[in-house]
């Protein structure tokens, strides 16, 4: 059969059916309130395989809440999220390669209807499809780089340790951090820490990578190296949803940009068009302030 997870040639390959353009996640009518604060007010979003979606908009517009809804970290109050069948899991079927999983193989698409009760199992099945890179790297301070990277695969996905270490090492090599594998997080620069954060997400072999302002906590001179890794991943065909204030990055890398304001998508489209000739006043004002 094809390249297995232990084949170092495939470590940066996206998991699953990688036919570009087919729908991976479909979001319809998503609503979310925190108390009286109605944060998401009917969001529609289509994430296609191999695409990069950038979420932009002023602070408090709901970008992070939307992103967190995509992997079950936030629980919407209404709307649906539909995820395509997970081909790799369907193919794996069981523990053949050591990946014993708690859910049944995902031969069917996964539908979460938040106006009804969403079971924990479905929520975890959604979470399992993606991996998140946070604003702060969230690395364990008392574990080495490689220990941080293998934590999820070994503890959650039951990947054999030796195999997880081999994959982690290959991934670190790909982002230029091979020599840091036994360092502790505090021995790394902020940019290096964030690259480890990205590797940690990749090590989970997600179908979808979610980035929550991955460079906003970095010193300006460290932003470039992280964006460069993200651009590489986009070029390699990873499916990505990115909350970002880096409009130049969004313009260069995103296939679709969504401008959120007040919990609604005010405008969406290809970045070149939107940045050159925004259709909505609110978009124009926002872009003018930042560009
Ligand atoms: P953005 O990412 O666009 O800055 P957020 O999604 O983080 O926006 O926040 C949108 C609104 O939701 C803000 O008013 C924020 O205070 C509120 N909010 C976000 N998370 C929580 C939470 N866990 N509890 C209460 N309010 C929240």
């Amino acid at each position: 059969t094809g390249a297995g997870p232990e084949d170092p040639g495939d470590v940066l390959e996206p998991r699953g059916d990688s036919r570009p353009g087919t729908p991976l996640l479909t979001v319809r009518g998503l609503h979310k309130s925190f108390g009286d604060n109605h944060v998401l007010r009917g969001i529609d979003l289509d994430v296609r395989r191999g695409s990069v979606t950038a979420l932009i908009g002023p602070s408090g517009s709901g970008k992070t809440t939307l992103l967190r809804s995509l992997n079950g970290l936030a629980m919407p109050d209404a709307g649906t999220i539909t995820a395509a069948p997970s081909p790799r899991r369907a193919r794996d079927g069981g523990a053949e390669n050591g990946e014993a999983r708690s859910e049944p193989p995902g031969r069917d698409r996964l539908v979460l209807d938040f106006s009804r009760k969403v079971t924990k199992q479905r929520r975890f099945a959604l979470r399992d499809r993606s991996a998140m890179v946070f604003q702060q790297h969230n690395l364990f301070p008392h574990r080495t780089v490689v220990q941080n990277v293998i934590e999820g695969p070994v503890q959650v996905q039951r990947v054999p340790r030796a195999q997880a270490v081999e994959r982690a090492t290959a991934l670190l090599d790909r982002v230029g951090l091979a020599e840091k594998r036994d360092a502790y997080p505090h021995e790394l620069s902020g940019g290096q820490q964030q690259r480890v954060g990205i590797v940690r997400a990749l090590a989970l072999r997600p179908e979808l990578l979610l980035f929550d302002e991955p460079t906003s906590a970095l010193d300006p001179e460290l932003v470039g190296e992280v964006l460069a890794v993200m651009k590489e991943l986009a070029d390699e065909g990873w499916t990505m949803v990115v909350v970002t204030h880096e409009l130049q990055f969004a313009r260069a890398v995103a296939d679709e940009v969504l401008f959120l304001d007040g919990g609604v998508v005010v405008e969406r489209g290809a970045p070149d068009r939107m940045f050159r000739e925004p259709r909505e006043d609110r978009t124009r004002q926002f872009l003018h302030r930042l560009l």
Side-chain angles (χ1 to χ4, degrees), residues 32-35 37-40 56-68 212-213 243 245 260:
K32 170 70 178 172
S33 295
F34 295 103
N37 191 1
H38 195 168
V39 172
L40 300 180
I56 66 170
S59 176
S61 57
K63 305 181 296 295
T64 296
T65 304
L66 172 57
L67 193 77
R68 291 166 62 86
D212 189 5
E213 299 189 27
V243 173
H245 294 296
L260 275 77

